[in-house]
Amino acid sequence: MATILSIIFVYFDVLLIIGYLAQRQGRKTAEDYFLANRSIGSLVMTVSVFSTLFSAFTFIALPGLVYKTGFGFIPGLAISNFLFPVVIFLVGYKIWLAGKKFGFITPTELFKHRFNSPGVELVVFVVMVLLVMPYISIQPMGGGYVLGAITQGAIPYAAAAGIITLVMIVYSVMGGFRGIAWIDTFQGIIMLLVSIATLVAVASLVGGFGPGTERLVKELPAHLTPAGPIGLWTWPLYFSWIVFIFFNFMFQPQIFARYYSGRSPRTLAWTLAMWPLMAGFMLLPPAVAALYGRLLVPDLASADQIIPILWTKFLPAWFAGFGAAAVLSALMSTAAGQLMVLSSMWTRDIYVGYLDRKASQARQVWVGRIAIVVLAVFGYAIALHPPALMGLLAGAAFSGIAILAPAGFAVFYWRRATAPAVIISIVGGEIPVFFTYFGVIPKPTWGTFDASIPGLIIAAVLLVVVSYLTAPPPKDVVDAYMAPDMDIFKAIRKPSA
């Protein structure tokens, strides 16, 4: 136990040191604090993007899903991740160009400017905050449970969640976005190494990859079929996952900040090129290890605990310690990125937008720091006493973010889109998502499709219909987004400064 605890606390110390080093390079400007002065390079961009996206899904939810429902889910996940470079190409480059051209720091500033509407800004703000805040609470919750399990109760749930929250607050407040991006990179490397090492170690426990796979074919044949042992993975559900993961990745608020922060469009090109490879090495090993794990622990009641159980029951203590560090990396990289982007939105969209339009750069930085503390403490308080509503919001969050996609595409690719249409599109598209997850609309209404599919269709139709029923947007604003300096190919070919 001492080994596990030592590794965990050394890991926390490293995070704080990186945050301190980032602080020493910081400037007292909003652009530097919230976006690292748009100076993030290719390596940090690439690793930090996948570490902030994958969260506890990597070591908890994904292995648990495969353990319970089989390997049939993986091809759909692979297709989604191979499509992510398309997201970067179609949207990421454009967001970088717009951010550089107009000085945007928050996602909502882009929507407000393009549609010339504070109303659009408010709607996007409410949707993003409402759907992201549950995740900020869920991350310390997950960390508290996992640390409690791995340390066999040596770190109680409340203390574990509190330590995670405190460490995140300190390095985020100190280092700003630069510190978070550097720490994300460190955490992403840990996640990647532990992911691969876990598969190799667990495979050795079942006799190696060859004999282990033969045992899977013989003992768990249903887990290797497309539908899985309980017949969950029908083609509508596959399609739903591919579509809403594709659109969700596109408009996650913390990914917006990554788009803005790149040193140049060519920085994003590395992320585009490396994503399928990085995602494969990150996600496939825990999924396969979970199947091998079912051979070792066949009747696990809590399927999402399979990887932590393999670490603690079958592998050395030092491995479990690094496994705990990997889970913490997955949790904290997501939560810290979300804290930073929400703090920038509260600062720029609410404080500067409505309370102090002449706020100095230094004051904006301090307001951002205060927002991080308040949001993190609020998230911890919810983690201690999570209401039933939180679980429903978390369930709707992944699908709900995807509903922003039609409006997001219209920013860059459709001149005729109007502010009233965007507002109605987002609200109308979110209705089937929220009503379904909250039980107002029965899930069987959509067959086995996720509620995001009808939501996206409704959002797209409303956007087009209402746009043609309302006055066109100002030509000068739209022209700025369709100008030659917003051309993707020219941006990629232009040498880096």
Side-chain angles (χ1 to χ4, degrees), residues 144-161:
Y145 288 127
V146 171
L147 277 188
I150 290 178
T151 64
Q152 299 176 16
I155 305 179
Y157 168 78

Side-chain angles (χ1 to χ4, degrees), residues 308-487:
I309 284 175
L310 292 173
W311 288 335
T312 55
K313 300 288 187 183
F314 297 94
L315 297 172
W318 62 264
F319 202 114
F322 281 105
V327 172
L328 291 171
S329 295
L331 296 163
M332 296 172 75
S333 59
T334 298
Q338 292 170 332
L339 278 173
M340 179 55 63
V341 73
L342 288 192
S343 74
S344 73
M345 290 165 63
W346 281 105
T347 301
R348 302 275 295 184
D349 302 333
I350 303 301
Y351 182 79
V352 176
Y354 295 97
L355 301 177
D356 187 358
R357 294 182 183 275
K358 296 181 179 180
S360 67
Q361 293 292 310
R363 174 163 291 189
Q364 290 183 48
V365 171
W366 275 108
V367 171
R369 285 172 169 159
I370 293 169
I372 287 173
V373 175
V374 171
L375 290 168
V377 171
F378 180 67
Y380 174 64
I382 294 175
L384 291 180
H385 304 286
L389 178 66
M390 185 58 60
L392 296 173
L393 277 174
F398 212 74
S399 300
I401 289 291
I403 301 302
L404 297 172
F409 271 110
V411 168
F412 302 110
Y413 293 105
W414 193 34
R415 303 179 68 95
R416 190 62 179 76
T418 66
V422 168
I423 292 171
I424 293 172
S425 166
I426 294 172
V427 174
E430 296 290 0
I431 287 174
V433 172
F434 277 85
F435 279 23
T436 300
Y437 277 90
F438 280 80
V440 178
I441 299 176
K443 286 188 177 182
T445 302
W446 318 116
T448 53
F449 286 103
D450 182 77
S452 61
I453 302 303
L456 281 165
I457 293 171
I458 290 170
V461 170
L462 288 174
L463 179 67
V464 173
V465 172
V466 178
S467 289
Y468 280 115
L469 294 176
T470 51
K475 185 176 183 299
D476 59 330
V477 174
V478 178
D479 285 347
Y481 286 82
M482 309 296 170
D485 61 358
M486 292 292 292
D487 183 274

Side-chain angles (χ1 to χ4, degrees), residues 42-118:
S42 300
L43 174 64
V44 174
M45 174 70 75
T46 301
V47 181
S48 69
V49 165
F50 82 73
S51 64
T52 197
L53 264 179
F54 286 152
S55 71
F57 178 80
T58 307
F59 297 107
I60 306 298
L62 173 61
L65 195 62
V66 172
Y67 181 96
K68 184 176 181 179
T69 69
F71 207 68
F73 163 68
I74 297 301
L77 184 64
I79 293 171
S80 298
N81 280 289
F82 271 100
L83 288 174
F84 186 65
V86 179
V87 172
I88 297 174
F89 183 77
L90 292 177
V91 176
Y93 284 132
K94 291 278 194 179
I95 291 174
W96 185 91
L97 290 167
K100 188 74 172 178
K101 182 175 182 177
F102 301 110
F104 299 143
I105 290 177
T106 70
T108 39
E109 288 174 340
L110 170 66
F111 283 92
K112 177 184 178 181
H113 183 267
R114 166 61 178 85
F115 296 108
N116 196 34
S117 169

Side-chain angles (χ1 to χ4, degrees), residues 123-139:
V123 169
V124 175
F125 178 91
V126 169
V127 168
M128 286 188 170
V129 171
L130 190 63
L131 296 179
V132 169
M133 198 61 217
Y135 274 99
I136 293 176
S137 301
I138 286 171
Q139 304 309 325

